[in-house]
Amino acid sequence: MILVTGGLGFIGSHTVVSLQEKGHEVLIVDDLSNSAIEVLDGIETASGIRPAFEELNLQNTAGLARIFKNNDISGIIHFAAFKAVGESVQKPVAYYQNNLGSLLNLVAEVEKAASPIPFIFSSSCTVYGEAKELPINESAPVQPALSPYGNTKQIGEEILLDAVNAIADFRVIALRYFNPIGAHPSIAIGELPLGKPQNLVPFITQTAAGLYPKLTVFGNDYPTPDGTNIRDYIHVVDLAEAHVVALERILEGKSDDDYEVFNLGTGKGSSVLQVIDSFERVSGLKLAYEIGLRREGDVIAAYADTTKANNVLGWKTKRSLDEALASAWKWEQKIRNL
Ligand code: UD1
């Protein structure tokens, strides 16, 4: 059975469906702090299988020990974490406690297990900061984090590397995501941001749905072709599939190293204005937007070098930006009853 922490969240829920499609049995552990229990029904609709579920905060060590005792866990995919950059600056202690406490408790369970359990860690391209070379490959230096959130990802990777060195045969793959967007083609699951979305695509779809009068583009005076920031937007189903490939790589003993890192992106950079353009094309709508000030902490451009993920992991993206935005829009229309 594969333990998926945070399995009711955006990337987690899509990964659960991809795991089930490949015949893996899943146990979701989620504390519902940033997710809804109805996502379980969505997963069941998308895959035809209802996964096992335990409501638990991973800081509850007794509860976690019980879960490991009562289930035969053969792999762990760890998503559960706080992820709002701005909030992490206001509440650093809560972020370190939650994100690192949860990780440490999970690794402590691995340490106790009769044989080490393969572990996939949710990391982020945020660890590269403003990279000197584009596209960004895995040997680009990790730069000082710009937020406590980003720091929890960097420290999380360091904790796992130390654990791999200390626990015989413990194998970890850290996946550094670029910008996941979109929804499952069944439209049974998608992104459910709590409150005002901070990320571009949910803000676009919520504006188009009438929740906000307009989108503010955070700066058009960057040194890029159209002046707006460039990111690598990856369809969440492509990203989900990478998790299954990574897990199977360890389960089948195919990893070259006990600790491996892969960048997960499409390899293609898109500017904020190109994303708006693509959204307008697939939705047939005109999006209301204005150009505003730069957002503090934004890097100019970030997109992935996909060579290692393609050649070593043996995975590549299959879905386009248009497809991702079309699915995000369908999902928004569904949840707003439009
Ligand atoms: C952000 C986080 C990153 C985190 C990731 C998780 C920051 C600075 N970075 O990445 O650490 O790992 O989310 O998903 O918060 N934009 C607008 N208007 C908006 C919203 C966004 O113009 O209302 C622009 C941003 O300036 C940026 C692009 O859209 O250029 C993408 O923004 P976003 O979706 O927040 O992702 P990142 O900043 O790449």
Side-chain angles (χ1 to χ4, degrees), residues 265-286:
T266 65
K268 189 174 168 289
S270 305
S271 73
V272 178
L273 294 180
Q274 284 174 323
V275 173
I276 295 174
D277 189 55
S278 165
F279 176 78
E280 290 184 334
R281 198 167 48 245
V282 299
S283 67
L285 299 170
K286 269 266 153 257

Side-chain angles (χ1 to χ4, degrees), residues 57-60 78 80-82 88 91-106 148-149 151-152 155 159:
N57 183 297
L58 297 175
Q59 306 215 59
N60 175 346
H78 178 44
F82 292 161
S88 78
K91 301 180 184 168
V93 177
Y95 269 68
Y96 287 114
Q97 231 157 25
N98 184 64
N99 292 7
L100 299 180
S102 300
L103 175 64
L104 287 168
N105 291 342
L106 278 171
Y149 157 76
N151 211 15
T152 65
I155 299 171
I159 289 171

Side-chain angles (χ1 to χ4, degrees), residues 3-8 12 27-30 58 76-81 106:
L3 170 64
V4 181
T5 74
L8 295 183
L27 166 63
I28 294 175
V29 172
D30 195 300
L58 297 175
I76 301 170
I77 306 185
H78 178 44
F79 294 102
L106 278 171

Side-chain angles (χ1 to χ4, degrees), residues 3-285:
L3 170 64
V4 181
T5 74
L8 295 183
F10 176 42
I11 308 171
S13 58
H14 289 82
T15 300
V16 169
V17 170
S18 293
L19 284 165
Q20 292 173 321
E21 282 170 352
K22 283 297 194 82
H24 296 283
E25 210 184 324
V26 175
L27 166 63
I28 294 175
V29 172
D30 195 300
D31 69 354
L32 302 176
S33 62
N34 191 19
S35 60
I37 190 68
E38 290 74 25
V39 175
L40 263 186
D41 301 328
I43 291 172
E44 186 175 0
T45 305
S47 69
I49 304 162
R50 195 169 185 84
F53 170 68
E54 291 264 3
E55 182 179 341
L56 183 89
N57 183 297
L58 297 175
Q59 306 215 59
N60 175 346
T61 46
L64 195 60
R66 178 181 48 78
I67 284 172
F68 275 83
K69 186 162 169 276
N70 295 345
N71 297 281
D72 181 16
I73 294 169
S74 53
I76 301 170
I77 306 185
H78 178 44
F79 294 102
F82 292 161
K83 61 169 187 181
V85 175
E87 184 185 60
S88 78
V89 178
Q90 306 305 318
K91 301 180 184 168
V93 177
Y95 269 68
Y96 287 114
Q97 231 157 25
N98 184 64
N99 292 7
L100 299 180
S102 300
L103 175 64
L104 287 168
N105 291 342
L106 278 171
V107 177
E109 287 302 326
V110 172
E111 236 176 352
K112 283 197 276 175
S115 58
I117 307 170
F119 196 104
I120 309 296
F121 181 59
S122 233
S123 190
S124 169
C125 69
T126 197
V127 302
Y128 299 115
E130 185 82 69
K132 293 204 174 51
E133 275 176 56
L134 291 169
I136 303 173
N137 68 36
E138 290 79 356
S139 22
V142 168
Q143 301 212 54
L146 293 171
S147 70
Y149 157 76
N151 211 15
T152 65
K153 293 297 174 190
Q154 294 190 5
I155 299 171
E157 289 195 18
E158 288 169 3
I159 289 171
L160 286 166
L161 184 57
D162 288 344
V164 158
N165 289 330
I167 305 170
D169 299 325
F170 181 35
R171 295 199 157 197
V172 172
I173 295 181
L175 299 175
R176 294 176 177 164
Y177 315 148
F178 283 69
N179 293 59
I181 60 165
H184 192 266
S186 64
I187 309 298
I189 50 173
E191 191 168 5
L192 280 172
L194 268 191
K196 190 174 175 179
Q198 306 300 314
N199 295 116
L200 179 63
V201 170
F203 204 91
I204 289 178
T205 56
Q206 290 197 13
T207 301
L211 276 76
Y212 298 98
K214 58 177 176 265
L215 167 83
T216 301
V217 174
F218 296 141
N220 70 346
D221 56 353
Y222 284 100
T224 61
D226 66 20
T228 65
N229 290 146
I230 292 176
R231 296 287 183 276
D232 187 339
Y233 297 92
I234 172 171
H235 197 302
V236 66
V237 177
D238 279 327
L239 187 64
E241 288 172 359
H243 288 77
V244 182
V245 175
L247 178 74
E248 290 176 348
R249 178 174 170 83
I250 307 185
L251 287 172
E252 291 162 16
K254 287 195 259 173
S255 24
D256 301 325
D257 224 321
D258 289 351
Y259 182 81
E260 294 182 312
V261 173
F262 295 98
N263 285 348
L264 298 181
T266 65
K268 189 174 168 289
S270 305
S271 73
V272 178
L273 294 180
Q274 284 174 323
V275 173
I276 295 174
D277 189 55
S278 165
F279 176 78
E280 290 184 334
R281 198 167 48 245
V282 299
S283 67
L285 299 170

Side-chain angles (χ1 to χ4, degrees), residues 234-235 238-239 264-267 306 310 315-319:
I234 172 171
H235 197 302
D238 279 327
L239 187 64
L264 298 181
T266 65
T306 62
N310 295 167
W315 160 91
K316 64 174 195 295
T317 57
K318 299 182 194 133
R319 298 157 181 93

